[in-house]
Coordinates of all heavy atoms in Angstrom, one line a residue:
S1 N 86.5 83.0 102.2 CA 87.6 83.2 101.1 C 88.8 83.6 101.7 O 89.0 84.8 102.1 CB 87.0 84.2 100.1 OG 88.0 84.5 99.1
T2 N 89.9 82.7 101.6 CA 91.3 83.1 102.1 C 91.9 84.1 101.1 O 92.6 85.0 101.4 CB 92.1 81.9 102.2 OG1 92.1 81.0 101.0 CG2 91.6 81.0 103.3
S3 N 91.6 84.0 99.8 CA 92.2 84.7 98.7 C 91.7 86.2 98.9 O 92.5 87.1 99.0 CB 91.8 84.1 97.4 OG 92.3 82.9 97.2
F4 N 90.5 86.4 99.0 CA 90.0 87.8 99.1 C 90.3 88.4 100.4 O 90.6 89.5 100.6 CB 88.5 87.9 98.8 CG 88.2 87.7 97.3 CD1 87.4 86.6 96.9 CD2 88.7 88.6 96.4 CE1 87.1 86.5 95.5 CE2 88.3 88.4 95.0 CZ 87.6 87.4 94.7
S5 N 90.3 87.5 101.5 CA 90.6 88.0 102.8 C 92.1 88.6 102.9 O 92.4 89.7 103.4 CB 90.5 86.9 103.9 OG 89.1 86.5 104.0
M6 N 93.0 87.8 102.2 CA 94.4 88.3 102.3 C 94.6 89.5 101.5 O 95.3 90.5 101.8 CB 95.3 87.2 101.8 CG 95.4 86.0 102.7 SD 96.4 84.6 102.1 CE 98.0 85.2 102.4
G7 N 93.8 89.6 100.4 CA 93.9 90.8 99.5 C 93.3 92.1 100.3 O 93.9 93.1 100.2
I8 N 92.2 91.9 101.0 CA 91.6 93.0 101.7 C 92.4 93.5 102.8 O 92.6 94.7 103.1 CB 90.2 92.6 102.2 CG1 89.2 92.4 101.0 CG2 89.6 93.8 103.2 CD1 87.8 91.8 101.5
R9 N 93.2 92.6 103.4 CA 94.1 93.0 104.5 C 95.2 93.9 104.2 O 95.6 94.7 105.0 CB 94.6 91.6 105.3 CG 93.7 90.9 106.0 CD 94.4 89.9 106.8 NE 93.4 88.8 107.2 CZ 93.4 87.5 106.9 NH1 94.5 87.2 106.0 NH2 92.6 86.7 107.3
V10 N 95.5 93.9 102.9 CA 96.6 94.8 102.5 C 96.1 96.2 101.9 O 96.9 97.0 101.4 CB 97.6 94.2 101.5 CG1 98.2 92.9 102.2 CG2 96.9 93.7 100.2
F11 N 94.8 96.3 101.8 CA 94.2 97.6 101.5 C 94.5 98.7 102.6 O 94.8 98.3 103.7 CB 92.7 97.5 101.4 CG 92.2 96.8 100.1 CD1 91.0 96.2 100.1 CD2 92.8 96.9 98.9 CE1 90.5 95.5 99.0 CE2 92.4 96.4 97.8 CZ 91.2 95.6 97.8
D12 N 94.5 99.9 102.1 CA 94.5 101.0 103.1 C 93.4 100.7 104.1 O 92.3 100.3 103.7 CB 94.4 102.4 102.4 CG 94.6 103.5 103.4 OD1 93.6 103.8 104.1 OD2 95.7 104.1 103.5
K13 N 93.6 101.1 105.3 CA 92.6 100.8 106.4 C 91.2 101.4 106.0 O 90.0 100.7 106.4 CB 93.0 101.3 107.7 CG 94.1 100.6 108.4 CD 94.4 101.1 109.7 CE 95.5 100.3 110.4 NZ 96.0 100.7 111.7
R14 N 91.1 102.5 105.4 CA 89.9 103.1 105.1 C 89.1 102.4 104.0 O 87.7 102.5 103.9 CB 90.0 104.5 104.5 CG 90.6 104.7 103.2 CD 91.0 106.2 102.8 NE 91.2 106.4 101.4 CZ 92.5 106.2 101.0 NH1 93.4 105.8 101.8 NH2 92.8 106.5 99.6
F15 N 89.6 101.5 103.3 CA 89.0 100.8 102.4 C 88.5 99.3 102.8 O 87.6 98.7 102.3 CB 89.8 100.4 101.1 CG 90.2 101.6 100.3 CD1 91.5 101.8 99.8 CD2 89.2 102.6 99.9 CE1 91.7 102.9 98.9 CE2 89.5 103.7 99.2 CZ 90.8 103.9 98.8
R16 N 88.9 98.9 103.9 CA 88.7 97.5 104.4 C 87.2 97.3 104.8 O 86.6 96.5 104.3 CB 89.6 97.2 105.5 CG 91.0 97.0 105.1 CD 92.0 96.7 106.3 NE 93.4 97.1 106.1 CZ 94.3 97.2 106.9 NH1 94.1 97.0 108.2 NH2 95.5 97.6 106.6
P17 N 86.6 98.2 105.7 CA 85.3 97.9 106.0 C 84.3 98.0 104.9 O 83.4 97.1 104.8 CB 85.0 99.1 107.0 CG 86.3 99.4 107.7 CD 87.3 99.3 106.4
P18 N 84.3 98.9 104.0 CA 83.3 98.9 102.9 C 83.5 97.7 101.9 O 82.6 97.2 101.4 CB 83.6 100.3 102.2 CG 84.9 100.7 102.5 CD 85.2 100.1 103.9
I19 N 84.8 97.2 101.7 CA 85.0 96.1 100.8 C 84.5 94.8 101.6 O 83.9 93.9 100.9 CB 86.4 95.9 100.5 CG1 86.8 97.2 99.6 CG2 86.6 94.7 99.5 CD1 85.9 97.4 98.4
Y20 N 84.8 94.7 102.8 CA 84.1 93.6 103.6 C 82.6 93.6 103.5 O 82.0 92.5 103.4 CB 84.5 93.7 105.0 CG 85.9 93.2 105.4 CD1 86.7 94.1 106.2 CD2 86.4 91.9 105.0 CE1 88.0 93.6 106.6 CE2 87.7 91.6 105.3 CZ 88.4 92.4 106.1 OH 89.8 92.0 106.4
A21 N 82.0 94.8 103.6 CA 80.5 95.0 103.5 C 80.0 94.5 102.1 O 79.0 93.8 102.1 CB 80.2 96.4 103.7
V22 N 80.8 94.8 101.0 CA 80.3 94.4 99.7 C 80.5 92.9 99.6 O 79.4 92.2 99.1 CB 81.1 95.0 98.6 CG1 80.9 94.5 97.2 CG2 80.9 96.5 98.5
Y23 N 81.5 92.2 100.1 CA 81.8 90.8 100.0 C 80.6 90.1 100.9 O 80.1 89.1 100.4 CB 83.1 90.4 100.5 CG 83.3 88.9 100.3 CD1 83.7 88.5 99.2 CD2 82.9 88.0 101.3 CE1 84.0 87.1 98.9 CE2 83.1 86.6 101.1 CZ 83.7 86.2 99.9 OH 83.8 84.9 99.7
G24 N 80.3 90.7 102.1 CA 79.3 89.9 102.8 C 78.0 89.9 102.2 O 77.3 88.9 102.3
F25 N 77.7 91.0 101.6 CA 76.4 91.1 100.9 C 76.3 90.1 99.8 O 75.4 89.3 99.6 CB 76.1 92.5 100.4 CG 75.1 92.7 99.4 CD1 73.6 92.6 99.9 CD2 75.2 92.9 98.0 CE1 72.6 92.8 98.9 CE2 74.2 93.0 97.1 CZ 72.9 92.9 97.6
V26 N 77.3 90.1 98.9 CA 77.3 89.2 97.7 C 77.4 87.7 98.2 O 76.8 86.8 97.5 CB 78.2 89.6 96.6 CG1 78.0 91.0 96.2 CG2 79.6 89.4 97.0

């Protein structure tokens, strides 16, 4: 997903790994 990837990249660094983890799971 380019859309969600670009959105996650602009999160604060502390939020990126857990949101990637949720996306990978679903």
Side-chain angles (χ1 to χ4, degrees):
S1 176
T2 56
S3 297
F4 286 116
S5 294
M6 293 177 76
I8 293 172
R9 287 189 199 114
V10 301
F11 285 146
D12 188 278
K13 288 183 179 179
R14 71 187 188 277
F15 292 139
R16 295 175 200 168
I19 299 301
Y20 283 133
V22 170
Y23 185 90
F25 169 73
V26 301

